[in-house]
Amino acid sequence: MDEDVDGDAAPQRIIVVGTGLIGTSIALAMRERGAEVLLTDRDAAALRLAVELGAGDALPDGANARPADLAVLAVPPAAVAVTLLDAQKRGLATAYTDVASVKALPLQQAADLGCDLSSFVAGHPLAGSERSGPSAARADLFLGRPWALCATPDAAPETVAAVRGLARACGAMPVEVDAAEHDRAVALVSHAPHVVSAAVAARLTGADDVALGLSGQGVRDVTRIAASDPRLWIGILSANSAPVAEVLEAVATDLAVAASLLRDGSDEAAQHVADLLLRGNAGRSRIPGKHGGDQPAYATVQVVIPDRPGELAMIFQAAGIAGVNIEDVTIEHSPGRPLGVLELAVVPEAAERLAAELRARGWSVPG
């Protein structure tokens, strides 16, 4: 097995059980590293698609003659323990990990079933998409993303090293954390926000054409993750129910108080609502930036662009010529018109240079 820059061996032969978004993305990433990847899935169509995408070869039926370095269990939380027990009985690998977004309950279930926890490290790559299935998989899905490792005291050092090596080989940053602490954390930063997003999106089911016609980027941002597969998410929420409920109750209290104050209509009530908005600003600012650490302050350069092929490529090329790195991109479409407003986030000192370059090339840049 090759070693990464930190000395952990990157597994060279892996088996991925489950060819959804995460499992197939891991397989694609490891294939790029030159690893041998075998795939298995109860869904024959998903398995065929993953193989066609170049994620690996189908695991042959019957006994596995040579155990893999690592088996990745890319299955829902409720299936982790039974899948681990089956994989260990079949001797699929010398080490095992999973990718479910809940850790404490599957670990407890695995212990209750008598699984060998010395060869298992629970894992969770914090990356994904509102899309699901192998067709949404990407080899670069995990680049720069945290990958939680929740090893029990029973886990052998070589097992921890193998799973750490997998995470780093996929371009992620391993973070070792206790399972219960992990579940409380993801309830706050992932699971409860998904329910809140779904609650806002659910209000749109009764919206009339006027309201929907006025919808802009704000409602799209808030409801984007509500497009995720409900079947997947009910399994996640059920497995992490208590921590998620605590966060939702706190959010519900804030919203109920805000609603009551807005109905009051007084200046004093409005100030209390403003306090909530300010707390929202403060909380948002604590989310780490793309390179970790504090979130940097970027300037926004707006560009009016026609909706035609190649326009974005030419704008990015112009940014390259100007020597400006684009940190983030959003597009606000104009309903009923073949154009939109492109918002480019750049470091403040580069904003005017980029704006000048774009204007010189004929684009309309407000400001």
Side-chain angles (χ1 to χ4, degrees):
M1 293 190 290
D2 294 338
E3 289 191 354
D4 68 12
V5 294
D6 292 289
D8 289 320
Q12 289 301 292
R13 187 170 191 265
I14 72 169
I15 293 173
V16 177
V17 181
T19 53
L21 167 66
I22 301 299
T24 305
S25 293
I26 291 173
L28 289 169
M30 293 305 294
R31 283 294 294 266
E32 285 195 351
R33 287 290 300 264
E36 177 188 357
V37 180
L38 298 172
L39 307 169
T40 181
D41 197 311
R42 292 192 303 175
D43 185 335
L47 176 59
R48 281 196 302 271
L49 180 53
V51 171
E52 289 172 4
L53 291 171
D57 298 316
L59 179 69
D61 293 332
N64 185 44
R66 181 165 65 94
D69 300 324
L70 181 66
V72 180
L73 313 179
V75 298
V80 169
V82 292
T83 304
L84 174 61
L85 183 64
D86 175 69
Q88 289 182 335
K89 285 182 175 179
R90 294 167 62 190
L92 289 186
T94 56
Y96 301 84
T97 188
D98 76 310
V99 297
S101 64
V102 182
K103 302 284 72 147
L105 182 60
L107 273 170
Q108 183 59 57
Q109 292 171 336
D112 292 343
L113 286 177
C115 296
D116 175 14
L117 296 184
S118 69
S119 63
F120 177 68
V121 171
H124 177 207
L126 281 95
S129 168
E130 68 275 14
R131 298 173 59 209
S132 59
S135 61
R138 306 193 331 255
D140 64 353
L141 186 67
F142 311 104
L143 291 180
R145 302 298 303 162
W147 190 311
L149 275 61
C150 303
T152 68
D154 296 321
E158 57 269 26
T159 303
V160 178
V163 180
R164 223 170 20 224
L166 171 73
R168 290 193 171 118
C170 290
M173 301 177 294
V175 179
E176 297 186 28
V177 61
D178 174 75
E181 183 180 1
H182 165 276
D183 289 356
R184 290 192 297 270
V186 294
L188 177 62
V189 302
S190 175
H191 300 170
H194 188 92
V195 179
V196 173
S197 175
V200 174
R203 305 309 306 158
L204 301 178
T205 58
D208 58 26
D209 290 342
V210 173
L212 294 175
L214 293 174
S215 60
Q217 194 59 42
V219 73
R220 290 186 178 92
D221 289 344
V222 171
T223 61
R224 180 185 62 81
I225 55 176
S228 300
D229 184 354
R231 294 168 299 176
L232 169 68
W233 272 93
I234 193 60
I236 292 171
L237 297 171
S238 297
N240 200 27
S241 55
V244 174
E246 288 182 10
V247 178
L248 290 178
E249 285 165 355
V251 172
T253 297
D254 276 342
L255 294 177
V257 170
S260 177
L261 292 169
L262 289 170
R263 289 190 183 281
D264 180 284
S266 68
D267 290 343
E268 182 180 358
Q271 185 55 52
H272 287 297
V273 176
D275 289 341
L276 174 60
L277 300 180
L278 288 170
R279 282 196 288 128
N281 288 162
R284 178 69 174 79
S285 69
R286 295 195 65 200
I287 299 174
K290 69 175 186 176
H291 300 300
D294 293 339
Q295 199 171 84
Y298 294 128
T300 299
V301 176
Q302 294 183 321
V303 191
V304 179
I305 59 168
D307 188 7
R308 62 191 181 202
E311 203 73 17
L312 284 174
M314 289 189 291
I315 288 176
F316 294 153
Q317 182 182 42
I321 292 171
V324 176
N325 185 53
I326 297 173
E327 305 290 344
D328 203 356
V329 179
T330 59
I331 302 177
E332 178 70 29
H333 298 281
S334 298
R337 300 185 65 194
L339 55 83
V341 176
L342 182 69
E343 294 191 344
L344 305 172
V346 299
V347 293
E349 57 270 24
E352 188 50 47
R353 186 165 76 252
L354 176 59
E357 182 70 29
L358 294 173
R359 290 191 188 104
R361 292 172 177 270
W363 280 289
S364 174
V365 181

